[in-house]
Amino acid sequence: MDVKAQEKQNEIVRRKMLDVRDMKIMECPTDSPWIRPIRLHYQQDGERRDWDVVKVHDGVSVIIFNTSRKKLVFVRQFRPAFLYTILPEACGPVDLEKYPPKLGLSLELCAGIVDKDQPLVEIARDELREECGYEAPAETFKFINTFRYTATAVYKNTLFYVEVTDEMHIHPGGGAASEGELIEVVDMSIPEVKEYIDSEELQSPPSFLYGFTWFLLNKPEHCS
C-alpha cells in the first residue's frame, strides 16, 4: 500500500473511530472477560496489609522500523480507558461535547493480547499483519525482553523489534475487522518522534516511550 492509499484508509478509520455516541460510566461486572480484580491480603513487617489488583491479559508489542522509508511505524486507536483518565468518576452519561472522543486517541506500538496458544513471536507476527499490514517471517523478529506493568493493573508484556520494507506491506492493515478493530497506521521519522515525546503531555502509554528509547540506544545507525 502506498502513502496516499494509507492516508486515505486512515481518514476512513479516523472518521469511524471518532463516531462515538451515548457513552456512559457504569460499574464493571464481576464476570468481565478482560479484567479480574482481586485483593491481596498479607503481612509485612508485622503489620497486616491489603493491596487491590486488576489482572489483565498478558501482551506482546513490536517496535517496527521501515527501512524503505526510514521511519518508525506506530498505530493510533481510540481507547475508552484513555478518555476515562480525564472524565469525572461519577457513573452516568458522558458529555461528549465537553470531552470529545479525540481526547481518547492513543499513539502506540503495534501490540496485542496473548489469547492464543501460540509462540509469542507468532502472536507478534499476527499483530504486525493485522494492524500494520506487513508480512514478516518469524526469524526477522528480535526478542528484546519481557517486562511487567505493576501497581494496580498487572500483566506481562513481551517486546520485539522488526525491520520491514515497503515490499512487505501486502495486507490492508487497520486491525481485524471481525473483532471490530479500527486502527490507523502512523509512520514517523526519528525527528518527528523526538518532537512528539518533547510534548508537554503525551497521548501514549509507557511502552511507547520504552520502545522508542530502546530504538535510540540500540539502533543508532537508523537515527543519524
Side-chain angles (χ1 to χ4, degrees), residues 27-38 53-59 79-81 112-116 127 152-156 176 178-181:
E27 295 290 336
C28 184
T30 57
D31 61 348
S32 168
W34 309 111
I35 64 172
R36 182 166 56 90
I38 63 167
V53 174
V54 176
K55 180 70 175 72
V56 300
H57 283 284
D58 292 339
R79 297 294 197 184
I113 62 174
V114 178
D115 59 353
K116 299 182 281 266
E127 296 302 331
T152 300
V154 296
Y155 64 97
K156 292 190 299 183
S178 61
E179 299 175 11
E181 290 184 325

Side-chain angles (χ1 to χ4, degrees), residues 66-133:
N66 184 316
T67 58
S68 301
R69 305 182 192 180
K70 307 300 181 187
K71 291 187 175 184
L72 286 160
V73 183
F74 303 111
V75 298
R76 182 180 284 117
Q77 301 186 66
F78 172 72
R79 297 294 197 184
F82 202 84
L83 182 62
Y84 181 70
T85 62
I86 61 172
L87 296 179
E89 293 190 11
C91 290
V94 175
D95 184 348
L96 293 174
E97 293 291 330
K98 185 176 181 180
Y99 305 102
K102 67 179 181 180
L103 298 178
L105 296 181
S106 176
L107 183 67
E108 310 170 0
L109 297 179
C110 170
I113 62 174
V114 178
D115 59 353
K116 299 182 281 266
D117 185 19
Q118 293 181 340
L120 294 179
V121 68
E122 291 299 330
I123 296 177
R125 286 187 69 207
D126 288 346
E127 296 302 331
L128 178 69
R129 182 187 309 113
E130 291 177 3
E131 294 191 354
C132 300

